[in-house]
Amino acid sequence: NAGVTQTPKFRVLKTGQSMTLLCAQDMNHEYMYWYRQDPGMGLRLIHYSVGEGTTAKGEVPDGYNVSRLKKQNFLLGLESAAPSQTSVYFCASSHGQGRHFGDGTRLSIL
Amino acid sequence: AQSVTQPDIHITVSEGASLELRCNYSYGATPYLFWYVQSPGQGLQLLLKYFSGDTLVQGIKGFEAEFKRSQSSFNLRKPSVHWSDAAEYFCAVVPNYGGSQGNLIFGKGTKLSVKP
């Protein structure tokens, strides 16, 4: 089973560029999440979704947008990338209180 | 302020020695409690979780954790550490607001190094 798959795994952007990170899960989970991980900060929730067509803000939503058009996919968009968004991004899904995590996307903004 | 605290940023233990990683939380009602492990370049893997019941919880890879309400703690333990246990460990909680659950909140992590 693939579980939670994130694409791409690595990306380098210039300031001001836009991009979309894709998360796909094959477990039929209702809940999906996007986190960012920074050194010494643990994981912080950016946005989450409790079902197809719904999204909500997490702890650090500014500068990001998300969409959940299909139950299995959760997209994270950066409209105008900034160096402060250099981070490792993790997607997760759940059907209860636990989370299944993807392997992460390492994003560098120059 | 509500928080999850892992007091130790980095711990080094010898292979075969016992291990205890500390986690404290500051939420009113008993939250749901989790421990995750992250190997370098990987995502997070769930080691164990506590929702209710027996306060000593067994997890994967020989890990266990004990919930102590009086100390607001959920410390992770392993009797004998293996070199493959070297990783970063995260404590996490889902606050329980009288039946309404909040989001998963992570501690800042404890990096474990294992000496031969």
Side-chain angles (χ1 to χ4, degrees), chain A:
Chain A
N1 289 335
V4 178
T5 303
Q6 293 183 231
T7 53
K9 295 189 184 304
F10 305 94
R11 186 73 183 268
V12 178
L13 293 178
K14 295 181 179 180
T15 298
Q17 287 185 314
S18 64
M19 81 159 295
T20 300
L21 307 185
L22 173 63
C23 176
Q25 54 98 0
D26 61 2
M27 295 170 284
N28 202 35
H29 287 167
E30 289 292 337
Y31 291 65
M32 297 187 74
Y33 314 81
W34 275 107
Y35 293 88
R36 61 177 290 174
Q37 183 179 30
D38 302 292
M41 299 294 291
L43 275 79
R44 293 180 292 170
L45 183 65
I46 304 171
H47 286 280
Y48 64 101
S49 169
V50 300
E52 180 178 323
T54 73
T55 63
K57 294 180 180 180
E59 181 185 357
V60 288
D62 294 341
Y64 305 95
N65 57 76
V66 288
S67 64
R68 184 96 181 270
L69 298 180
K70 294 182 178 181
K71 186 177 184 178
Q72 64 268 33
N73 295 336
F74 195 31
L75 279 63
L76 177 71
L78 286 73
E79 290 187 349
S80 179
S84 61
Q85 294 177 305
T86 293
S87 188
V88 181
Y89 292 86
F90 286 97
C91 177
S93 71
S94 73
H95 69 278
Q97 297 301 340
R99 303 285 190 275
H100 296 260
F101 284 86
D103 288 337
T105 295
R106 187 173 297 275
L107 185 60
S108 295
I109 316 296
L110 305 179

Side-chain angles (χ1 to χ4, degrees), chain B:
Chain B
Q2 296 179 330
S3 65
V4 180
T5 303
Q6 294 180 245
D8 305 305
I9 296 174
H10 190 184
I11 286 181
T12 300
V13 300
S14 297
E15 191 168 15
S18 63
L19 170 70
E20 182 169 26
L21 303 181
R22 296 182 289 165
C23 175
N24 294 92
Y25 63 90
S26 60
Y27 295 91
T30 299
Y32 299 144
L33 299 159
F34 305 81
W35 275 100
Y36 286 87
V37 60
Q38 184 182 32
S39 298
Q42 301 294 314
L44 278 73
Q45 181 182 21
L46 180 66
L47 285 175
L48 46 79
K49 59 188 176 184
Y50 173 79
F51 290 173
S52 65
D54 191 345
T55 57
L56 185 62
V57 181
Q58 301 298 319
I60 62 171
K61 304 186 179 186
F63 286 92
E64 66 178 26
E66 186 172 12
F67 168 59
K68 293 186 177 180
R69 186 188 308 275
S70 61
Q71 299 177 18
S72 295
S73 69
F74 189 56
N75 294 350
L76 182 71
R77 302 194 294 245
K78 186 170 185 178
S80 178
V81 170
H82 188 263
W83 64 267
S84 61
D85 293 324
E88 191 157 18
Y89 293 80
F90 292 92
C91 179
V93 307
V94 173
N96 187 347
Y97 301 118
S100 173
Q101 280 78 52
N103 290 316
L104 187 62
I105 310 297
F106 286 87
K108 294 185 178 181
T110 297
K111 185 176 181 180
L112 174 66
S113 298
V114 180
K115 295 189 298 185

